Amino acid sequence: MKKTHKKILGFAGLGLVAAVTTFAATVQVPGASAVTAVSDKIQVRVLTEEPELSVTPTIPSGSETTSPFYGFTVIYNNLTNITATLVNRGDDGTVKYSGVIWNEAVSGPGEKSEELNLGNFGGFGNFTITFSGTSTEGVPIEKIITVTYKAEPEPGPEPEPTPTPTPTPDTPVVDPDVPKEETKKVVVNIYEEGNPVPVKTVTVDDPSDVENIDLSDLPDGTYRAEIITKDADGNVTGTTSKTIVKDTTPGGTATVPVIIGDPVPGTNVGEAVIIVKDNEGNVITTIPVSDPTPGSVVNVDVSTLDPGNYTIEVEYYDDSGNKIGTSSEEVTKTDTGSADIDVPGEVDTVTTVEVYLYGPNGKLARIIKGDRRTGLLGVYDADGNLLYTIEHGYSDGGLSIPMAGLPYGEYTGTMMYKNAEGKLVGDSKPLKIEWNGEAIIVPDTGSFFQGLNITREDYLITGIVVFAAVGAVAFWLVKRNRNSRR
């Protein structure tokens, strides 16, 4: 190989490496979209000799809920026993249920999580759960949590859809492209009516093929299935329930207990109408209940129904005949050893869409948060202080990016999605905006470098790889030339 060729190849390789290294040194690290706002948090629990009893409910104590499913986690240390007592009182103070739901001898540090179906403890009402324990030295300790379980209010007219924001020169609009969380695990708890402890629990690690659940080991009867979906990290993404009636004996009796609720506390329910509908919405049975007592149970006979899926609705009317509320539950009747369940493959859990905007100097310039429920857009400075809000600044059709008040230049951004607990959902997405009095969203044209999610370290690694590749080619050419001379 001629010396001139060798020099040209060597200088070309060194020049390429120098160019890549120089470019890497000028990359603004804060603006690189590969940097995320996620940080690992390590929770350390320090054990002491003092007795400990802490209770963390799934929703804050004192809250209201329309879902019958309610859970809590108890952490304890240096106790000899724990007892949990549940009391359900109506709005007039009448005790609708009172009993012990947990009584256990314990020792050392420990933790226990429990999921309750409040419908099994007297139906709608005001629940008080008292946790009491005794320390190893005989000192009593107590914690109390409360929750109000009530029927869903009568749905009003469908709300007007939030209008998609209109782009302006200083406020471009981007597609939020909200992701969903994929269901990675399903836990199905089967309860007997009136029993807070599941008679069977089925865990499915691959829910993509789940269509039914095996009930062959359970006798005929009425059960409630609690279907809990989880993401890859084991976090709960959704909870649904349905009633399952297993009736394999011809001519047997099969009923579904329907709890009469109290849709508007303080308003007398003059009549409740129970309506049974088939899978296509056709009315099968109508059962009027005059002057019902909230919390009472009406057993609906489903013996004559064919196996399949049904809906049982309850409509509530006041003394003047005005409709004041409604509730419904899904029912599946089966005459085999299995029952259908519905498991969503993806669950929409995103409540907030956030954009972190970096300026021409690579520093964080602005934080933008869009509330999916209200459409309200919050604009914050780099320190997280609220600057102003924009009504209807967000919709699932568009997210406003206010640029007014920022210096001109090229901006990069990272769009992230969070659920109600603040957990990131899906992958973040990069943005690029050219701002010179008019904001222009730079599209991802699909060119070689456009939209690449890389940082300074990536460029340095690329330089090393290129240098090694050029060196290998040069070594091969020299070796081939020597072999040809021989």
Side-chain angles (χ1 to χ4, degrees), residues 197-403:
V197 180
V199 295
K200 182 174 184 176
T201 297
V202 179
T203 300
V204 183
D205 293 322
D206 182 13
S208 59
D209 295 331
V210 178
E211 294 181 356
N212 54 63
I213 186 170
D214 182 23
L215 301 176
S216 59
D217 56 339
L218 298 178
D220 284 3
T222 301
Y223 302 91
R224 183 174 293 276
E226 175 190 32
I227 305 167
I228 304 171
T229 56
K230 297 185 178 182
D231 60 16
D233 298 325
N235 301 306
V236 175
T237 58
T239 301
T240 58
S241 67
K242 70 184 310 183
T243 299
I244 298 177
V245 179
K246 182 182 178 183
D247 184 17
T248 61
T249 305
T253 300
T255 61
V256 174
V258 176
I259 300 175
I260 301 298
D262 188 7
V264 182
T267 301
N268 184 58
V269 179
E271 183 182 41
V273 180
I274 301 174
I275 305 171
V276 181
K277 297 181 179 180
D278 63 15
N279 197 34
E280 297 179 354
N282 300 312
V283 177
I284 305 299
T285 305
T286 300
I287 306 173
V289 182
S290 300
D291 196 19
T293 301
S296 61
V297 177
V298 176
N299 291 312
V300 179
D301 186 6
V302 294
S303 303
T304 59
L305 298 183
D306 295 330
N309 297 317
Y310 299 87
T311 301
I312 297 182
E313 298 179 353
V314 183
E315 296 180 347
Y316 299 94
Y317 298 86
D318 61 17
D319 292 330
S320 301
N322 301 309
K323 190 175 180 180
I324 58 175
T326 184
S327 62
S328 66
E329 63 176 307
E330 302 299 319
V331 177
T332 293
K333 184 181 178 183
T334 177
D335 58 357
T336 65
S338 64
D340 295 337
I341 61 172
D342 298 321
V343 178
E346 293 181 322
V347 181
D348 188 350
T349 62
V350 175
T351 59
T352 307
V353 179
E354 301 182 2
V355 173
Y356 289 77
L357 199 63
Y358 296 88
N361 58 0
K363 295 182 179 180
L364 182 64
R366 184 164 285 179
I367 303 172
I368 302 165
K369 299 182 181 181
D371 189 315
R372 294 186 67 198
R373 185 180 64 84
T374 64
L376 188 68
L377 191 82
V379 182
Y380 302 79
D381 63 16
D383 296 323
N385 301 309
L386 180 64
L387 300 176
Y388 55 89
T389 59
I390 301 176
E391 188 175 359
H392 304 313
Y394 175 88
S395 77
D396 286 343
L399 170 70
S400 299
I401 309 290
M403 302 296 294

Side-chain angles (χ1 to χ4, degrees), residues 48-52 76-80 107-109 134-137:
T48 66
E49 296 299 323
E50 296 295 325
E52 177 186 3
Y76 56 87
N77 186 33
N78 288 329
L79 299 181
T80 59
S107 62
T134 305
S135 72
T136 53
E137 297 180 353

